[in-house]
């Protein structure tokens, strides 16, 4: 009788040990199932939303998303500090980055549009007027058909992919004069909305009724006009990885490129699906018709 109880006790202890080991192993597995994506604030809403959806469908998996700008994303992925570097620009456009060491995953297209405070009285500018404003040659809205208000420039910070794209395509390579700088598209929009005479530029996904969106040469910043390059102020949204991304990183990027995400979530958030583009653009800026 005593011997039987001893055997039962030994078996019970063994079972408890195995269960505990199982939980420990599961906790370790869950803790390891996470990746971090850092960079572009223009791309951040899409990666965050896709990450939340992916995590809800895969218990124990976490996608951590942080901003900081495209320059930060590219430098962090090159350093191997994160799993994904989010960028609005090609790695070839960023100084100090060796593009050949990275893999480029283009997951969406983002249009970028000028925005002004509603009191400026402006709904359309020519590209030349836009250049004159951002290079400091025009300093009052009445000079371009608006109200008698001084112009306040709100730029994105140096290293921002949105700024690089805007200066390259909207300003024809001209650099903006020194002005107030903001680290995110959301902050830039908020300041324009509350500052009479202010102007900035944000991704389509940040456009709302708090600011006035500006046409350029009477062309509206729309998805359709980006698709055929009539609206030329746009860029790809890149998820950059190292040469050997882990399995979770591969699966998450495949998820974002899936038809379900491209045709629903991408469009809901104001981006343009890479599947819908009629043209393509390379790192040198050359545009060609999709075959």
């Amino acid at each position: 009788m005593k011997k039987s109880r001893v055997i039962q006790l030994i078996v019970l202890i063994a079972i408890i040990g195995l269960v505990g080991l199982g939980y420990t192993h599961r906790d370790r597995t869950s803790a390891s199932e996470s990746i971090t994506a850092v960079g572009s604030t223009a791309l951040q809403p899409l990666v965050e939303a896709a990450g939340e959806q992916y995590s809800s469908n895969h218990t124990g998996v976490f996608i951590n998303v942080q901003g900081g700008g495209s320059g930060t994303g590219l430098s962090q992925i090159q350093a191997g500090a994160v799993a994904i570097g989010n960028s609005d620009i090609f790695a070839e456009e960023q100084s100090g980055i060796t593009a050949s060491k990275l893999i480029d995953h283009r997951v969406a297209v983002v249009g970028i549009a000028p925005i002004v405070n509603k009191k400026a009285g402006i709904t359309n500018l020519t590209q030349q007027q836009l250049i004159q404003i951002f290079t400091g040659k025009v300093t009052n809205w009445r000079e371009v058909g608006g109200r008698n208000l001084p112009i306040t420039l709100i730029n994105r910070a140096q290293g921002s992919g949105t700024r690089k794209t805007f200066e390259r395509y909207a300003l024809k390579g001209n650099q903006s004069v020194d002005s107030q700088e903001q680290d995110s598209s959301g902050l830039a929009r908020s300041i324009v909305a509350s500052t009479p005479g202010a102007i900035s530029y944000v991704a389509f996904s940040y456009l709302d009724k708090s600011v006035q969106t500006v046409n350029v040469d009477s062309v509206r910043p729309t998805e359709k006009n980006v698709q055929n390059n009539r609206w030329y102020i746009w860029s790809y949204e890149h998820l950059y990885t190292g040469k050997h991304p882990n399995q979770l990183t591969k699966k998450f990027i495949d998820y974002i490129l899936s038809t379900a995400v491209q045709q629903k979530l991408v469009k809901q958030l104001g981006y343009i699906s890479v599947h819908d583009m009629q043209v393509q653009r390379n790192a040198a800026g050359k545009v060609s018709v999709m075959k």
Side-chain angles (χ1 to χ4, degrees), residues 129-151:
Q129 288 173 332
L130 204 58
I131 293 170
Q132 290 174 331
I133 288 168
F134 277 91
T135 55
K137 294 180 176 64
V138 169
T139 58
N140 192 296
W141 286 114
R142 66 181 173 185
E143 298 177 63
V144 289
R147 295 179 181 147
N148 183 15
L149 271 175
I151 295 173

Side-chain angles (χ1 to χ4, degrees), residues 61-117:
V61 172
F62 300 94
I63 312 296
N64 303 309
V65 185
Q66 301 169 20
S70 296
T72 298
L74 289 169
S75 62
Q76 289 288 295
I77 188 62
Q78 179 165 272
V82 295
I84 298 173
N86 302 336
S87 177
D88 308 327
I89 59 174
F90 286 93
E92 291 88 341
E93 297 180 71
Q94 183 69 17
S95 61
I97 300 298
T98 305
S100 61
K101 294 182 178 180
L102 304 175
I103 300 177
D104 180 11
H105 310 268
R106 303 178 199 175
V107 297
V109 169
V110 61
I112 297 167
I115 56 171
V116 298
N117 181 273

Side-chain angles (χ1 to χ4, degrees), residues 215-274:
N215 299 340
V216 177
D217 291 319
S218 299
V219 177
R220 294 177 59 213
T222 66
E223 179 179 327
K224 182 179 179 180
N225 286 334
V226 169
Q227 288 172 354
N228 59 24
N229 202 49
R230 282 196 69 217
W231 184 267
Y232 46 81
I233 315 170
W234 61 270
S235 66
Y236 289 107
E237 293 292 20
H238 311 258
L239 298 184
Y240 275 99
T241 66
K243 287 292 187 179
H244 304 287
N246 63 32
Q247 286 301 309
L248 177 54
T249 300
K250 291 178 182 178
K251 289 178 181 178
F252 179 58
I253 292 175
D254 286 344
Y255 176 73
I256 294 182
L257 286 169
S258 68
T259 300
V261 172
Q262 287 289 311
Q263 295 303 315
K264 188 173 182 181
L265 186 61
V266 166
K267 294 182 177 182
Q268 285 177 345
L269 294 175
Y271 301 87
I272 300 163
S273 170
V274 289

